[in-house]
Amino acid sequence: MLSFYSRRDLNFILNDLLNADQLCQFNRYAEHDSATFTEVLNTAEKLAGELFYPHAAKSDANPPVFDNGRAVLIPEIKQAVDAFCENGFIAASFGPEHGGLGLPEVIAQAAAAIFMTANLPSTAYGTLTIGAGRLIESFGSEQQQQRYLLPMIEGRFFGTMCLSETHAGSSLTDIRTRAELQDDGSYRLFGSKMWISTGEHDMSENIIHMVLAKLPDAPPGVKGISMFLVPRRCLNEAGEADSRNDVVLAGLNHKMGYHGSVNTVLNFGDNGGAYAELIGEPNKGLFYMFQMMNEARISVGLSAAALSVAGYQAACSYAGERRQGRHPDSKDPAEPMVPIIEHADVKRMLLQAKSYAEGGLALCLYAARLMDDARVLEGAAAERAFAILDLLTPIVKSWPSEFGLRANDLAIQVHGGYGYTKDYPVERLYRDNRLNSIHEGAKGIHGIDLLGRKVLQDRGQVLGLLLEDITVTIDEVRKDMSAQQLHEYADDLASACETVSTTSKTLLSGVISTGLRTSMANSTIYLDMLGHVVVAWIWLRQAHIALGKLTAGVPPADQNFLNAKLGACRYFYIYELPMVKTQCVLLSRLDETCLKADRQWFRE
């Protein structure tokens, strides 16, 4: 039995919460059925258990080595990634017209989650290639799709995204990488890029870098950024990877965790200029990159949720086996020690970790289902699904990254002193997960995005749509007389939604009365607050489904699983959701404590 994730929980989320099989009713996915989905997940589980999980600790202990301009990785990573490609997991959600399998996004993401729980760093080579391929699919020319996309879908070429530069970080306005047009219509690219995951390795025939750069006559700021396709090896007339392009590995970044995924500094154009092809139109690079970034942000959230699931599973296993102490009312020291899972505080930690891990996973897969809905529905329904997905993207990225990491912290605590050693996987999982609140935009950036662009800029219209959907669930639970034990939670969620609405209006008014800076000063708190409301909604939906199944009667083997869902929902509503009102009180005060802090205070 695999210990790094729960297939039963994954099936519950897909089949009961998200009704993934319903997608087969639409033409886009009509060639698939539930048996296809099951086989995809079975294959992912088999490969994850046999090829990804076994080398997770080894790749952590043996990070990539810089050797004469090459990044050298342990051989097990290539074996696993080759199997990932050969079994169609890069091709999974690409359309058949491009050589893909045409699976729903929610199934492709569920399969990815299995690999991520087993060994996230080794999974990154495939997921980044998918993101780069999506850009070429959406914005590349027909020739670029033929020459680059198909080999990527086949797993012969891999892909990266090259945004950051050492001096600029997340401030893309200030990038200096430049591109110069050549007589043949190609470009020569010059510059350096930092923090490039999977940027150099010998596991594929080629690596296709998607690079942001500026043209000489570009307008200032982000409006002057273009996107370029830069292959590590230039292609010959037959479309084969041939001569080495002017792309040089300048060094490796030595990270706290995530060791199996090589992270690089790349120099472009040190020897005359790197061959590059413009993607789409000039000066629209940031618009194009946002597609990849938004997909990557959802993937980051899924990564964080997967790591928290793995940590939670490890903690449950350990707590059931480790014997230590006795019950508080036991007065006889001769009595045998009990498994620590019998102690109330250990149960508290496990419930907390479960509510974060499984809540985060369900949140991410719900976002994937919204992606599918935006593709298969028509008109206003499709627009609504996309709008809610856009609103939720910073939450999907950031909530699991913040609270999933707390779940990993709890997993270490459950292990006690052993959790702080390399004898168990939980310290490695924590280190791997610590990255997720940083990359693809640090958490603070996503708070600004959510409150500034997604709520204040459209005056809360899409937030209103989300609250309408939450209200539908509240009404369903309230009307269900067989679910009276959940009515209290429905009332609590309704109260939280009202508070969110009132607080958001206060922040909108604050833009006029005190200025945008004041309304935005605590945007990260707003991000956590709204994330908790959304996850509370998802837990209520799960609990309602679980209670319905228990009421209808299920085999004894399923009762513990469903009762655990009810217990985790109860935990979240009693221990977690009350924080929302406290946060909203702070937000409504338009407090300027942090905004007005003098920078000189931090020099002593």
Side-chain angles (χ1 to χ4, degrees):
M1 177 179 176
L2 297 177
S3 60
F4 52 81
Y5 92 113
S6 168
R7 179 64 177 274
R8 179 177 288 185
D9 184 52
L10 190 63
N11 287 342
F12 179 86
I13 293 171
L14 292 174
N15 301 330
D16 298 299
L17 179 67
L18 302 178
N19 298 309
D21 290 356
Q22 291 180 356
L23 291 166
C24 300
Q25 300 171 7
F26 297 94
N27 289 337
R28 185 184 181 104
Y29 303 126
E31 295 183 2
H32 302 299
D33 55 27
S34 59
T36 303
F37 299 163
T38 299
E39 183 57 32
V40 169
L41 299 180
N42 286 346
T43 302
E45 185 178 280
K46 182 175 186 294
L47 294 178
E50 293 179 357
L51 294 176
F52 281 76
Y53 185 72
H55 76 266
K58 181 178 179 180
S59 63
D60 179 67
N62 297 273
V65 175
F66 184 87
D67 181 20
N68 194 28
R70 297 172 58 243
V72 180
L73 288 66
I74 63 169
E76 289 88 344
I77 297 177
K78 177 171 171 54
Q79 295 168 10
V81 174
D82 282 350
F84 184 93
C85 300
E86 290 164 3
N87 283 273
F89 287 102
I90 288 181
S93 60
F94 284 97
E97 68 275 15
H98 294 298
L101 303 181
L103 286 168
E105 194 66 35
V106 69
I107 300 300
Q109 295 281 9
I114 297 175
F115 287 105
M116 290 171 174
T117 54
N119 185 334
L120 174 61
S122 291
T123 307
Y125 297 90
T127 54
L128 281 166
T129 300
I130 292 168
R134 287 267 183 240
L135 280 175
I136 300 173
E137 178 187 40
S138 299
F139 306 113
S141 66
E142 184 175 343
Q143 183 183 42
Q144 287 168 338
Q145 291 177 8
Q146 287 292 326
R147 287 170 64 81
Y148 299 102
L149 178 58
L150 182 58
M152 293 170 77
I153 291 174
E154 292 173 344
R156 295 190 293 110
F157 294 2
F158 284 4
T160 76
M161 55 193 298
C162 300
L163 287 71
S164 298
E165 298 178 11
T166 305
H167 66 281
S170 298
S171 180
L172 298 180
T173 298
D174 300 308
I175 64 171
R176 297 170 184 162
T177 301
R178 72 185 195 279
E180 299 176 0
L181 180 64
Q182 305 298 298
D183 293 340
D184 63 359
S186 68
Y187 291 79
R188 289 294 178 268
L189 193 130
F190 305 86
S192 180
K193 293 291 182 176
M194 182 71 161
W195 310 118
I196 310 306
S197 295
T198 73
E200 177 64 30
H201 53 77
D202 293 329
M203 295 194 297
S204 60
E205 298 174 24
N206 210 349
I207 302 175
I208 309 304
H209 303 291
M210 310 305 294
V211 184
L212 292 185
K214 293 183 177 181
L215 295 169
D217 59 349
V222 295
K223 294 181 179 180
I225 297 175
S226 298
M227 177 181 290
F228 296 88
L229 183 159
V230 184
R232 179 177 67 166
R233 292 189 176 277
C234 299
L235 307 191
N236 59 25
E237 292 296 325
E240 301 165 335
D242 194 358
S243 58
R244 179 78 189 220
N245 199 3
D246 191 3
V247 181
V248 176
L249 175 64
L252 303 181
N253 294 309
H254 302 288
K255 302 169 292 180
M256 172 181 174
Y258 223 108
H259 291 162
S261 172
V262 61
N263 191 275
T264 65
V265 183
L266 298 179
N267 288 347
F268 298 86
D270 285 351
N271 297 292
Y275 171 85
E277 299 180 19
L278 180 69
I279 291 286
E281 299 178 30
N283 305 322
K284 290 190 175 181
L286 193 61
F287 171 78
Y288 301 150
M289 185 60 80
F290 262 116
Q291 173 185 293
M292 185 176 185
M293 289 170 67
N294 282 334
E295 290 189 5
R297 286 165 175 171
I298 293 171
S299 181
V300 167
L302 186 67
S303 300
L307 287 168
S308 66
V309 165
Y312 166 69
Q313 291 292 326
C316 288
S317 177
Y318 181 83
E321 298 170 357
R322 170 69 170 173
R323 289 181 173 272
Q324 185 175 328
R326 295 163 185 84
H327 293 297
D329 54 2
S330 173
K331 304 301 182 183
D332 185 359
E335 286 187 4
M337 292 188 293
V338 298
I340 62 172
I341 203 167
E342 293 192 24
H343 298 308
D345 195 58
V346 173
K347 293 178 184 178
R348 176 193 62 81
M349 290 189 286
L350 292 176
L351 275 173
Q352 187 175 1
K354 180 183 180 71
S355 74
Y356 294 160
E358 294 182 4
L361 179 61
L363 169 68
C364 295
L365 293 179
Y366 169 63
R369 176 61 201 258
L370 285 174
M371 293 173 70
D372 287 318
D373 287 345
R375 292 169 182 171
V376 301
L377 298 178
E378 297 179 354
E383 292 175 3
R384 181 190 179 100
F386 182 81
I388 293 176
L389 174 64
D390 190 49
L391 172 73
L392 288 179
T393 294
I395 295 174
V396 173
K397 189 273 183 186
S398 299
W399 195 92
S401 298
E402 175 74 27
F403 295 96
L405 183 67
R406 296 190 191 183
N408 288 117
D409 180 73
L410 289 162
I412 292 174
Q413 190 70 20
V414 168
H415 282 70
Y418 284 113
Y420 199 61
T421 72
K422 295 183 183 297
D423 295 345
Y424 292 88
V426 288
E427 66 87 27
R428 167 173 54 82
L429 295 170
Y430 181 93
R431 287 187 288 105
D432 284 352
N433 210 354
R434 186 59 188 85
L435 174 64
N436 285 317
S437 63
I438 300 172
H439 71 162
E440 303 308 331
K443 183 180 178 182
I445 290 173
H446 291 283
I448 293 170
D449 179 40
L450 174 65
L451 182 56
R453 192 171 73 86
K454 307 289 175 62
V455 175
L456 298 182
Q457 190 167 307
D458 83 337
R459 304 194 63 78
Q461 293 183 56
V462 179
L463 175 63
L465 298 179
L466 173 64
L467 295 179
E468 285 177 9
D469 285 355
I470 296 175
T471 301
V472 169
T473 299
I474 292 169
D475 291 343
E476 289 174 349
V477 173
R478 283 171 165 171
K479 291 174 183 177
D480 186 352
M481 290 300 103
S482 66
Q484 291 189 44
Q485 71 187 79
L486 302 180
H487 288 188
E488 177 185 356
Y489 308 151
D491 292 342
D492 290 343
L493 185 57
S495 177
C497 288
E498 184 177 348
T499 303
V500 169
S501 180
T502 301
T503 301
S504 300
K505 291 174 183 176
T506 299
L507 293 169
L508 275 166
S509 300
V511 174
I512 298 173
S513 62
T514 60
L516 182 61
R517 288 191 183 186
T518 299
S519 285
M520 294 287 292
N522 292 301
S523 56
T524 302
I525 294 173
Y526 188 94
L527 174 67
D528 285 343
M529 177 275 296
L530 188 56
H532 255 51
V533 171
V534 173
V535 174
W537 170 44
I538 288 174
W539 268 117
L540 184 60
R541 290 176 61 189
Q542 292 190 81
H544 195 203
I545 295 166
L547 185 60
K549 286 178 172 291
L550 286 166
T551 303
V554 294
D558 294 329
Q559 290 177 9
N560 278 338
F561 172 79
L562 297 171
N563 279 317
K565 285 290 181 186
L566 293 174
C569 178
R570 177 176 175 79
Y571 173 86
F572 201 85
Y573 274 79
I574 291 176
Y575 286 78
E576 298 289 332
L577 189 60
M579 298 177 190
V580 166
K581 291 196 174 181
T582 302
Q583 291 167 320
C584 284
V585 168
L586 171 61
L587 290 163
S588 296
R589 289 172 59 185
L590 297 173
D591 186 76
E592 297 183 328
T593 299
C594 299
L595 180 64
K596 294 297 178 68
D598 192 318
R599 58 183 290 181
Q600 299 301 321
W601 296 353
F602 309 108
R603 296 176 62 87
E604 297 299 327

